[in-house]
Amino acid sequence: MTGNQMEALIGMLVTFGLLVLMVLPSVIGIVHDKRVDRQLRRAQEDRSEGKEAREPQKSSSRSTVPSTATWYAEGRRSKKLVNS
């Protein structure tokens, strides 16, 4: 191998190395996103299977009345709106 051939080989290897360094983060990101998508899909499937197995929730026949704290907070909110 002559000096020119050796220099060309080193140049090609450096160029290839830089290309790999520039592409590697994108490839890692794509692989990570695919893994997260698979996990989300699996969790969604598990959740939908769980809903089918559960009995429907029974609703109460009593009407719901806001608590004292809710009434107090409503009054405070309306006063702030009027004052400003």
Side-chain angles (χ1 to χ4, degrees), residues 12-48:
M12 284 193 304
L13 289 175
V14 168
T15 304
F16 182 71
L18 288 173
L19 178 67
V20 168
L21 284 176
M22 291 176 67
V23 171
L24 190 62
S26 294
V27 171
I28 291 172
I30 290 169
V31 169
H32 181 264
D33 285 348
K34 293 226 181 248
R35 189 181 75 217
V36 169
D37 287 344
R38 254 185 282 127
Q39 290 173 346
L40 288 173
R41 198 175 312 113
R42 189 176 304 135
Q44 185 69 29
E45 289 170 359
D46 291 347
R47 177 178 269 190
S48 65

Side-chain angles (χ1 to χ4, degrees), residues 18-84:
L18 288 173
L19 178 67
V20 168
L21 284 176
M22 291 176 67
V23 171
L24 190 62
S26 294
V27 171
I28 291 172
I30 290 169
V31 169
H32 181 264
D33 285 348
K34 293 226 181 248
R35 189 181 75 217
V36 169
D37 287 344
R38 254 185 282 127
Q39 290 173 346
L40 288 173
R41 198 175 312 113
R42 189 176 304 135
Q44 185 69 29
E45 289 170 359
D46 291 347
R47 177 178 269 190
S48 65
E49 288 173 6
K51 281 185 180 178
E52 293 170 358
R54 275 192 253 147
E55 294 179 16
Q57 185 178 3
K58 296 179 182 176
S59 63
S60 174
S61 58
R62 292 187 304 156
S63 64
T64 57
V65 179
S67 67
T68 307
T70 305
W71 286 102
Y72 179 75
E74 286 285 326
R76 302 266 307 164
R77 267 190 235 118
S78 62
K79 285 180 186 175
K80 284 183 183 177
L81 292 174
V82 171
N83 290 340
S84 58

